[in-house]
Amino acid sequence: MNKPWSIRASTMSRNTQNLIRNIVEKIQVKPNPNKNFIPLSIGDPTAFGNLTPPEELLQAVRNSLDENESRCYGLTNGALVARQAVAEYYAHQGQVSADDVILCNGCAQALDLAITVLAEPGQNILVPRPGYMLYRTIAEGLGIVIKHYNLLPEKNWEVDLKNLEDQIDDKTAALIVLNPSNPCGSVYTKEHLRDILRISAKHRLPIIADEIYEKFVIFDNKFTSLASISKDVPILVCSGLTKGFLVPGWRMGWLVIHDRQDIFSKDIRDGLRNLTGRLLGPNKLIQMALSKTLTTVPQSFFDSVMSFIESQAKLAYKELSHAPGLRPILPQGAMYMMIEIKMSMFPVFRDELEFIERMYSEQSILCIPGQCFDFPNFMRIVLTVPEHILREACARIQQFCRDHIMQENNIN
């Protein structure tokens, strides 16, 4: 008798979960067919077409099309000319050479490389709560434990420094700092970053700095890269073109090694180089356009985008402050706003996910529940939608809150 087939998915694949996709894509209800669907859930600044990349970037890519080099295989860590361009772009953060740069398939791969090279299965990494869910997706698939440190909404989402230090143990391999923050929109001061560096130095803990939103800073806040002020803590900076240059679909990111005291062993650098061999380098066409992109796009382009985001933040904050039962928190950067849902004022809903599902079915608006960021009783909205759509969304959210608080008052 033939042996029966028995094929199972690998442990890594079973342990790899994406919280946002798992929750949002499994929503059972349908939007209200009588109202246009407004997705305030999409973390893509280009989704509505109102924000477009700079012409200088587009022209650089057009020129790259004509270069034979853009069609060839390249080094797994990226073409030398492209890595040099990134190194020069980050010269203000400290001395960086092309050898300190790895080009990646988006910032997501940079994070994957950083986590994978620093942590072993069974070790843990520290990640912010609320924070970007991809850290958990990457780590848990590899058998690396996630430990959360808390952010403080009443202090513009600063790190709870005591709570951070309390999470560190002898199995902690790295600390992830997300600045500016997704989903919070926080931008840390230089003083606060120095406090984080002191804790990291005390415990000999390397930092993975997720700075993909480095261009997204509003309301006169200033972005400071951790690498620019670190004297002795080794840092892997992860960033890319995705958000600031408005080309998320082009998947061009990078990892930059900042290690002033040569604390990272050659083993770490060799490990990163080895890991790049798994995907054989990112899009060569975009690589060959990097030098022109990073030197010709004017500051006025970024200023214009940030002016729009700032205006949108003011609008959403003002309108949603009038929604009964909600407490919006004005962001300092990124492209999101976190909103507290005072669930005690909506006892007809079990949790914020049920609140969001009902709002989706009645008002055709989809937001991201706080559960996706390990932070219940909140929801996240994006600010990059066109102004008239954001106004309409805020009006519908206000109406939804009024409707359901009124229902509860009638019950009593």
Side-chain angles (χ1 to χ4, degrees), residues 52-62 245 293 296-298 301:
T52 56
E55 176 57 30
E56 293 82 0
L57 168 55
L58 299 178
Q59 188 57 51
V61 174
R62 293 185 194 109
F245 291 82
T293 296
T296 62
V297 176
F301 167 78

Side-chain angles (χ1 to χ4, degrees), residues 266-315:
K266 181 176 180 294
D267 189 47
I268 293 294
R269 290 177 179 268
D270 288 347
L272 285 168
R273 184 64 180 269
N274 291 343
L275 289 170
T276 65
R278 297 172 67 196
L279 294 183
L280 303 179
N283 188 319
K284 192 72 175 299
L285 176 69
I286 310 304
Q287 286 188 52
M288 301 313 295
L290 269 181
S291 181
K292 285 290 186 183
T293 296
L294 297 178
T295 56
T296 62
V297 176
Q299 182 61 38
S300 58
F301 167 78
F302 305 108
D303 293 342
S304 176
V305 174
M306 287 307 97
S307 177
F308 172 74
I309 298 295
E310 183 173 311
S311 175
Q312 295 286 86
K314 289 177 181 177
L315 168 61

Side-chain angles (χ1 to χ4, degrees), residues 177-181 186-188 193 210-214 223-224:
V177 178
L178 173 55
N179 178 50
S181 167
S186 54
V187 178
Y188 295 149
L193 291 172
D210 183 349
E211 297 179 350
I212 190 63
Y213 291 97
E214 60 188 292
F223 168 73
T224 301

Side-chain angles (χ1 to χ4, degrees), residues 247-276:
V247 284
W250 288 4
R251 312 307 302 139
M252 176 52 63
W254 46 74
L255 180 152
V256 183
I257 303 168
H258 290 270
D259 187 15
R260 288 187 173 89
Q261 304 301 324
D262 292 325
I263 295 168
F264 281 140
S265 62
K266 181 176 180 294
D267 189 47
I268 293 294
R269 290 177 179 268
D270 288 347
L272 285 168
R273 184 64 180 269
N274 291 343
L275 289 170
T276 65

